[in-house]
Amino acid sequence: MDSHQLDIVALAWSRELGLPDDALRVAGSRTIRPATDTVRFLRFAGASALVGPPWFLDRAAALDDDALASRSTLGDLTRDHGGRCTGPRLLAYASEVGDIDVASPLISHVLPHVLALQALCPPDDVAEADLTARRNWFTLLDEDERPLSCAGYSEWQGIIARLGVLTVPEARRRGNGTTVGRLCTNDAMDEGMIPEWRSHPEDLASRGLAARLGYEELGSVTEVALP
């Protein structure tokens, strides 16, 4: 990604976290902001940001970025306050439109095909892709119009497109996810947004698909919900 695109993503995260617009533009810096009911630690392009209640910020003050990015660390720091930690999620971004390798794929853009696809997939995979919370669906259908794979994105902060991809188990490892992922990524970029891909560090299949689509891992976010 070029410097302008990096600045756009940094701006989106700064606004999400309630930070000054330029807070994440200096590599090696850490910005800290008090909050009430959420803990978030973000790493992006060499900069970092920590948001949380004052008691948490005091506990975290002496820890480095590697420690704060760890789910176990944030869980330990917030356990006595009933914290529920999720992540880390790796953040990857695409900067270029790519070619579609499949000639004239049969694509649907309607919700019923998304729901039919989800009914064929494991619940954990459905929750991770979270397609019904997105729009702009690209569902690949076979010759009998049965869904094979779907990608969709939702607009975030007006400038980022957050993608999700889901493929039925028997149709995986055949390039179907790559096809819908590429169509969805290209569409988001045509709409003037920067596509974002989130993966668990241990999910090598998701990270591999993102890499094939040209996404570059640039950071991570770890979050704790507090009651």
Side-chain angles (χ1 to χ4, degrees):
M1 298 184 72
D2 62 32
S3 59
H4 176 65
Q5 292 165 325
L6 290 173
D7 285 347
I8 290 174
V9 178
L11 174 63
W13 273 109
S14 293
R15 292 178 174 177
E16 171 70 11
L17 298 176
L19 307 175
D21 286 353
D22 60 353
L24 297 170
R25 294 180 182 176
V26 179
S29 66
R30 179 190 294 179
T31 304
I32 297 173
R33 185 181 74 83
T36 54
D37 59 353
T38 301
V39 169
R40 285 184 178 180
F41 180 69
L42 171 76
R43 305 177 83 173
F44 178 73
S48 65
L50 182 64
V51 174
W55 59 263
F56 171 79
L57 298 178
D58 289 342
R59 296 178 181 185
L63 299 177
D64 63 20
D65 285 358
D66 289 338
L68 291 174
S70 165
R71 178 176 181 174
S72 61
T73 299
L74 293 194
D76 290 343
L77 292 177
T78 59
R79 184 169 292 112
D80 60 339
H81 285 259
R84 183 171 55 85
C85 187
T86 60
R89 298 292 183 88
L90 300 178
L91 304 172
Y93 299 89
S95 58
E96 295 182 0
V97 171
D99 295 329
I100 308 299
D101 294 332
V102 178
S104 303
L106 181 58
I107 298 295
S108 165
H109 301 284
V110 298
L111 180 60
H113 282 132
V114 178
L115 298 177
L117 176 82
Q118 291 185 148
L120 301 172
C121 297
D124 287 348
D125 293 349
V126 172
E128 181 68 19
D130 199 18
L131 290 175
T132 52
R134 308 181 194 278
R135 295 294 182 270
N136 309 291
W137 300 294
F138 292 80
T139 305
L140 178 65
L141 308 177
D142 66 12
E143 61 274 12
D144 297 317
E145 297 192 359
R146 293 174 297 192
L148 300 174
S149 185
C150 178
Y153 67 84
S154 55
E155 184 177 315
W156 179 67
Q157 293 293 331
I159 47 182
I160 303 296
R162 289 183 159 174
L163 266 75
V165 177
L166 181 65
T167 303
V168 299
E170 59 268 25
R172 295 175 183 177
R173 300 181 182 275
R174 300 178 186 177
N176 296 316
T178 302
T179 298
V180 295
R182 173 53 63 200
L183 288 168
C184 194
T185 297
N186 288 356
D187 186 75
M189 298 190 71
D190 289 343
E191 292 297 318
M193 289 181 281
I194 295 179
E196 178 188 88
W197 190 287
R198 293 186 169 204
S199 300
H200 292 286
E202 66 275 11
D203 191 346
L204 299 183
S206 175
R207 296 175 67 184
L209 175 56
R212 289 193 295 276
L213 294 172
Y215 284 78
E216 180 183 359
E217 292 181 354
L218 294 171
S220 68
V221 61
T222 310
E223 302 178 78
V224 180
L226 299 173

